[in-house]
Amino acid sequence: MGGQRAQLVDERDSQTSAASWRPAVADGPPPDLVFKRRLRPAQVARELWGARELVRALAERDLRARYKQAVLGFAWAVLTPLALCAIFTLVFHRAVKIDTGAVSYPLFAYVGLIVWQFFSNTMNQGALSLANNLSLLNKVYCPREVFPLATMLVASVDMVIGVGVLGLLFLIFWTAPAVTFLWVLPLLLIQFAFTYGVALILSVAVVYLRDVRHLLPIITQMGVFATPVAYPLAQIPQRLQEIYVGFNPLGAVIEGYRGALLYGDAPDVTLTSIAAVSSLVFLVGGYLLFKKLETGIADVA
């Protein structure tokens, strides 16, 4: 009996020793994964800058794919806003009698259309950027936010072409940009920040919720009338303008462009500040949401 008891004690001691020898299980993900989920602007900027060649290659591929089979090629980048400008002139200027002061209505509307075309192109193409590149996502290591960024670069090329046409409209209507045109630069930053934030949100939303893909045309058609593209921001009741700009910073951006380029006015400080803060919220919120959901993209797709 004494020998069996000693054997049981030895076995229990050996099991206890084996249990204590097991490696400890980590309570959370490795520090490097935790680090990636945090917002580090300098780190994000370095990663995007390091992937600049990939962004350029993706943008070139998308540009070629968009215009390769088109007879008119890059001309479509200006034909669409010009066609909308003609329709707006007939409907809003001739029928509704929108008052634009001393500025010709086509010039007034075209400034808004350039901004809207940039936003809608980035939104529609950026929303599909991850879903259309799933095979590439699993083969190439890179920050995945470069795919919506490449679509914004493509839309920027179209916008530059549209700005060239704007110069021709200035010549046609015998007018010149106001000396306050330098206000365009901060407004451009607000426009880019808001647009990229929306593209980040929609790109992951399309992967997880395919219904978003079908909502995009509706959002685009309603958005062009919900945004002061064909009419001035003053058409919105003044007591609601700050709330409106908080949800749609493009309203203040378009109004600021028109004031700086056409009327010689500085942008409204209050509305522009609200638009800047709102755009920053969209950008930061969109990036954090993107990084939170990107790890499951390959599983969901």
Side-chain angles (χ1 to χ4, degrees):
M1 291 293 292
Q4 293 178 351
R5 184 178 303 160
Q7 184 178 0
L8 289 174
V9 170
D10 292 340
E11 291 177 353
R12 187 169 58 244
D13 291 343
S14 62
Q15 291 175 357
T16 303
S17 300
S20 61
W21 179 81
R22 292 172 184 169
V25 178
D27 295 331
D32 56 334
L33 293 183
V34 175
F35 174 79
K36 287 181 180 179
R37 290 176 182 272
R38 295 174 181 171
L39 181 60
R40 303 286 181 91
Q43 176 77 11
V44 173
R46 279 197 299 271
E47 289 182 354
L48 292 179
W49 178 253
R52 60 188 181 282
E53 289 300 323
L54 177 60
V55 174
R56 182 185 60 79
L58 291 172
E60 287 183 359
R61 184 201 61 180
D62 291 346
L63 274 173
R64 289 173 181 169
R66 181 187 298 183
Y67 298 115
K68 185 177 180 180
Q69 302 297 332
V71 176
L72 298 179
F74 285 93
W76 286 111
V78 296
L79 288 178
T80 302
L82 284 178
L84 287 173
C85 185
I87 294 172
F88 285 173
T89 301
L90 291 175
V91 175
F92 289 93
H93 183 53
R94 299 295 176 83
V96 185
K97 303 294 184 184
I98 294 292
D99 184 15
T100 58
V103 175
S104 300
Y105 183 81
L107 201 57
F108 175 91
Y110 190 76
V111 171
L113 281 168
I114 292 176
V115 179
W116 177 254
Q117 283 295 111
F118 170 80
F119 175 76
S120 61
N121 287 342
T122 305
M123 179 182 69
N124 286 293
Q125 299 303 319
L128 304 177
S129 59
L130 293 179
N132 291 341
N133 290 284
L134 288 175
S135 58
L136 188 60
L137 282 171
N138 295 325
K139 295 178 180 178
V140 179
Y141 173 76
C142 63
R144 291 174 174 174
E145 53 269 30
V146 300
F147 294 96
L149 183 61
T151 62
M152 194 167 76
L153 183 59
V154 173
S156 299
V157 174
D158 291 341
M159 189 174 71
V160 170
I161 298 173
V163 171
V165 176
L166 178 63
L168 293 177
L169 290 178
F170 274 117
L171 291 175
I172 292 173
F173 291 101
W174 286 96
T175 185
V179 294
T180 53
F181 69 93
L182 289 178
W183 282 108
V184 165
L185 298 178
L187 294 170
L188 201 60
L189 292 177
I190 297 173
Q191 177 187 343
F192 282 178
F194 174 66
T195 304
Y196 188 42
V198 172
L200 286 172
I201 294 171
L202 291 177
S203 63
V204 290
V206 166
V207 174
Y208 283 87
L209 299 171
R210 299 303 171 95
D211 299 78
V212 177
R213 186 193 299 257
H214 302 288
L215 283 175
L216 290 175
I218 300 174
I219 295 174
T220 303
Q221 293 178 10
M222 293 179 64
V224 71
F225 296 107
T227 303
V229 176
Y231 52 86
L233 185 62
Q235 293 292 319
I236 297 174
Q238 189 171 7
R239 67 180 187 282
L240 300 177
Q241 287 183 9
E242 295 180 359
I243 299 174
Y244 172 81
V245 169
F247 286 99
N248 185 3
L250 291 183
V253 170
I254 293 174
E255 195 72 4
Y257 281 145
R258 286 170 175 157
L261 290 172
L262 306 179
Y263 296 99
D265 297 330
D268 184 276
V269 175
T270 301
L271 294 180
T272 305
S273 299
I274 294 174
V277 172
S278 177
S279 298
L280 188 61
V281 170
F282 270 98
L283 179 62
V284 174
Y287 179 80
L288 293 176
L289 179 67
F290 186 94
K291 299 305 288 184
K292 183 176 180 60
L293 298 178
E294 72 168 344
T295 54
I297 288 175
D299 298 330
V300 174

